[in-house]
């Protein structure tokens, strides 16, 4: 059953390769041959796998975990061939790194400046981020309703980010359609708004894909700064903020259930965190002695705060020259991430809220050991097992950062580069170590380090348990 489903997904990926193929034809670029051959090979391979008829279509939790992790790896392998044979050509490790960075919406890149890359490759990078933002499996559940009765819930839980997973419709396939419909609608609106500004249609599509997916891909080497427009900054900032919110809650807002959305504790913390960090950014800049106008005191700090906390990774103009205090706050926001059920990376604000209230209870128990305390979110008591899972997740998250940084150091990377790159990739933010002012960008890392970082990106996107459970002996018994 797993082989058959992977075959169906490869055929879907082959269909999406038609978009960069048509783009190459429009701009009269020879890379259309690469996408044509890659698309045909992917479609044929997918068709052969799809013809495998399983003895049983039943799928449980283990099959859901295995399929989810396998699909993201297989998609990245199929998606890397345009980088190997396109313009410019890249080696195997670089190409896989680019594909995994795209599908996991990390946004880290090792390719040359985008001005020297074909339009087909550029739109393929943006499209990979857009597909990975809402989720490959979730897209499949939307287009193949039959999976609703054959492991759909297991796959939904394995891929969708968050502590708990709420269905907004009775059936998983209906939930997937509604979420993807909202995702597509936001993308369309953003394309139109950006196109109405200084961007042409191609730039609008690329930046809309990178913003809604919180991947941060740009079709310009100077990213957002290339357009020199406050209008672009405001529009992208607004849609990054929306993309960092739980899409199930956004669906409630779109359908008029504002009162339910307004009572959500996580959403309140998310908005408050953005406002507090923006104020701290502004204070940090004021205390540096610079004379700042309204734009540098409000718009640019808020843009960078939203970009960092949602793991989008766009940089405000001149951000690398800001104060060390601001950079320290950026690390905190990268770790935090946005809301669960969004397209953002990081540990998620939900888990930090759970942890904060759990630690508050533990401190009260020091002076009142006989008290009966519980963690409450949105007025509901949270099961202690769920709280324990959150604590375990955060511990594993930190251990993976340390393990990744240590592995990169063993391969010869400087300590700052190693640990910051590990931190950035598992948070799916994509900032290079050059952001710190001490290290270099991803361009300098050796081949082995690219595979390590690719693993960290995958683990961060699938939120650790889905990947690490495959390495436990009990999973295979």
């Amino acid at each position: 059953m797993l082989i058959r489903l992977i075959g169906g997904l490869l055929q879907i990926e082959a269909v999406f390769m038609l978009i960069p193929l048509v783009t190459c034809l429009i701009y009269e670029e020879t890379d259309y041959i690469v996408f044509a051959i890659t698309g045909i090979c992917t479609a044929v391979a997918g068709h052969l796998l799809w013809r495998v008829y399983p003895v049983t279509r039943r799928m449980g939790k283990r099959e859901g975990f295995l399929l989810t992790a396998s699909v993201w790896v297989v998609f990245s392998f199929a998606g890397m061939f345009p980088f190997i044979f396109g313009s410019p050509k890249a080696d195997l490790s670089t190409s896989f790194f680019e594909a995994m960075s795209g599908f996991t919406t990390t946004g880290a890149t090792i390719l040359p400046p985008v001005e020297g890359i074909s339009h087909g490759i550029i739109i393929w990078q943006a499209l990979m981020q857009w597909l990975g933002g809402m989720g490959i499996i979730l897209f499949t559940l939307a287009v193949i309703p039959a999976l609703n009765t054959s492991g759909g819930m297991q796959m939904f839980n394995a891929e969708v980010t968050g502590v708990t997973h709420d269905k907004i419709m009775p059936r998983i396939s209906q939930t997937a359609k509604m979420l993807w419909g909202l995702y597509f609608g936001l993308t369309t609106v953003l394309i139109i708004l950006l196109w109405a500004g200084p961007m042409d249609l191609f730039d609008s599509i690329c930046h809309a894909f990178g913003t809604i997916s919180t991947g941060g891909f740009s079709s310009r080497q100077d990213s957002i700064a290339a357009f020199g427009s406050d209008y672009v900054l405001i529009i992208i900032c607004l849609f990054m903020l929306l993309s960092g919110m739980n899409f199930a809650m956004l669906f409630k807002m779109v359908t008029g259930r504002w009162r339910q959305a307004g009572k959500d504790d996580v959403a309140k913390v998310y908005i408050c965190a953005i406002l507090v960090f923006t104020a701290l950014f502004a204070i940090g800049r004021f205390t540096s002695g610079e004379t700042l106008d309204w734009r540098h005191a409000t718009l640019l700090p808020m843009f960078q705060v939203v970009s960092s906390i949602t793991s989008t990774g766009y940089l405000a103009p001149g951000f690398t020259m800001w104060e060390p205090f601001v950079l320290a706050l950026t690390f905190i926001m990268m770790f935090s991430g946005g809301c669960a059920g969004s397209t953002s990376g990081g540990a998620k604000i939900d888990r930090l809220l759970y942890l904060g209230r759990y630690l508050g209870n533990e401190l009260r128990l020091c002076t009142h050991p006989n008290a009966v305390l519980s963690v409450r979110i949105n007025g509901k008591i949270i099961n202690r097992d769920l709280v324990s899972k959150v604590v375990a997740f955060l511990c594993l998250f930190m251990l993976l950062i340390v393990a990744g940084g240590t592995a990169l150091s063993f391969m010869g990377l400087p300590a700052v580069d190693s640990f910051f790159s590990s931190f950035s990739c598992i948070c799916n933010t994509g900032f290079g170590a050059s952001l710190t002012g001490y290290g270099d960008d991803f361009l300098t890392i050796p081949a082995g380090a690219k595979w390590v970082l690719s693993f960290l990106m995958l683990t961060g996107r699938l939120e650790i348990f889905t990947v690490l459970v495959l390495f436990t002996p009990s999973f295979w018994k």
Side-chain angles (χ1 to χ4, degrees):
M1 187 62 184
L2 297 181
I3 293 173
R4 178 176 170 82
L5 289 176
I6 288 173
L9 285 162
L10 283 175
Q11 293 180 76
I12 293 173
E13 185 176 15
V15 172
F16 277 104
M17 288 183 181
L18 292 174
I19 296 175
L21 188 154
V22 172
T23 303
C24 289
L25 291 174
I26 292 174
Y27 287 93
E28 299 180 350
E29 296 169 337
T30 57
D31 276 353
Y32 77 90
I33 300 174
V34 174
F35 284 103
I37 295 175
T38 303
I40 291 171
C41 292
T42 303
V44 169
H47 178 70
L48 293 175
L49 295 178
W50 181 253
R51 291 179 63 84
V52 174
Y53 289 95
V55 177
T56 175
R57 294 177 180 271
R58 178 185 164 278
M59 290 180 62
K61 282 187 176 181
R62 291 193 302 169
E63 288 81 6
F65 283 127
L66 184 57
L67 176 66
T68 303
S70 301
V71 162
W72 284 75
V73 175
V74 170
F75 252 58
S76 297
F77 267 111
M80 74 179 180
F81 287 103
F83 299 114
I84 295 178
F85 301 108
S87 302
K89 294 178 174 59
D91 57 33
L92 177 65
S93 58
T94 298
S95 300
F96 185 79
F97 178 93
E98 288 289 335
M100 184 61 75
S101 174
F103 283 119
T104 58
T105 71
T106 304
T109 183
I110 319 177
L111 294 181
V114 292
E115 283 75 7
I117 302 176
S118 68
H119 288 79
I121 295 293
I122 292 174
I123 198 68
W124 180 235
Q125 286 180 298
L127 184 60
M128 285 192 298
Q129 290 194 353
W130 188 72
L131 285 172
M134 184 53 68
I136 299 167
I137 295 293
L138 196 63
F139 180 82
T140 310
L141 292 172
V143 299
I144 308 179
L147 290 178
N148 192 82
T149 56
S150 58
M153 191 64 192
Q154 285 76 22
M155 291 185 288
F156 179 82
N157 290 336
E159 183 182 66
V160 175
T161 62
V163 185
T164 58
H165 306 104
D166 299 323
K167 295 191 297 180
I168 58 177
M169 300 295 286
R171 298 171 68 86
I172 287 296
S173 58
Q174 294 173 326
T175 298
K177 287 178 182 178
M178 290 300 177
L179 291 175
W180 262 96
L182 177 61
Y183 189 65
F184 183 82
L186 286 173
T187 305
T188 303
V189 171
L190 180 55
I191 290 173
I192 295 172
L193 290 175
L194 292 177
W195 195 14
M199 294 187 184
D200 59 25
L201 180 59
F202 182 80
D203 287 330
S204 300
I205 293 173
C206 290
H207 286 87
F209 284 177
T211 299
I212 298 299
S213 67
T214 64
F217 176 76
S218 176
S219 56
R220 300 294 183 93
Q221 186 61 28
D222 293 333
S223 190
I224 303 300
F227 302 96
S229 169
D230 289 346
Y231 171 81
V232 169
L233 290 173
I234 293 170
I235 294 298
I236 288 183
C237 183
L238 172 62
F239 278 83
M240 284 192 299
L241 186 148
L242 292 175
S243 299
M245 300 175 73
N246 188 314
F247 270 72
M249 190 187 67
L250 285 178
F251 180 79
K252 294 177 182 178
M253 295 169 62
V254 170
T255 54
R257 289 175 282 178
W258 286 85
R259 184 172 296 179
Q260 294 182 29
K263 295 179 180 179
D264 189 87
D265 289 346
V266 177
K268 294 176 183 176
V269 173
Y270 174 65
I271 298 300
C272 288
I274 289 175
L275 295 176
V276 169
F277 278 111
T278 300
L280 291 174
F281 266 46
I283 292 171
R285 301 217 64 199
F286 273 119
T287 55
S288 66
E290 294 184 56
T291 302
L292 305 176
D293 55 19
W294 75 269
R295 182 173 182 269
H296 289 82
T298 56
L299 177 58
L300 294 185
M302 176 165 282
F303 179 89
Q304 192 57 51
V305 165
V306 176
S307 177
S308 299
I309 202 169
T310 60
S311 78
T312 308
Y314 285 135
L315 292 178
F319 174 68
T320 55
M321 303 300 292
W322 291 9
E323 294 70 32
F325 171 68
V326 171
L327 184 61
L329 295 177
T330 302
F331 291 162
I332 297 173
M333 290 185 291
M334 288 169 62
F335 178 80
S336 165
C339 302
S342 68
T343 59
S344 63
K348 303 294 185 298
I349 284 179
D350 306 57
R351 292 190 177 92
L352 298 183
L353 180 60
Y354 280 46
L355 179 66
R357 295 189 176 177
Y358 170 73
L359 293 178
N361 288 345
E362 291 299 312
L363 289 174
R364 291 190 190 98
L365 287 172
C366 292
T367 53
H368 301 85
N370 295 322
V372 179
L373 304 174
S374 59
V375 174
R376 289 178 177 269
I377 302 293
N378 297 330
K380 298 179 181 178
I381 296 175
I382 305 301
N383 189 291
R384 291 188 66 87
D385 291 339
L386 187 57
V387 176
S388 298
K389 187 177 180 180
V390 167
V391 174
F393 175 92
L394 294 172
C395 290
L396 283 173
F397 198 85
M398 297 302 298
L399 287 173
L400 280 171
I401 293 173
V402 174
T406 304
L408 296 178
S409 298
F410 178 76
M411 295 177 187
L413 269 71
V416 172
D417 295 50
S418 299
F419 285 93
F420 185 80
S421 297
S422 174
F423 179 60
S424 178
C425 285
I426 199 170
C427 292
N428 298 129
T429 306
F431 287 143
S434 58
L435 182 69
T436 63
Y438 296 96
D440 294 317
D441 219 320
F442 292 108
L443 293 169
T444 62
I445 62 176
K450 296 172 188 175
W451 293 100
V452 171
L453 293 177
S454 296
F455 175 78
L456 291 174
M457 287 188 281
L458 176 65
T459 307
R461 173 58 182 84
L462 297 182
E463 301 214 311
I464 299 178
F465 290 115
T466 301
V467 177
L468 294 190
V469 71
L470 304 182
F471 296 93
T472 58
S474 61
F475 178 85
W476 301 97
K477 289 183 180 179

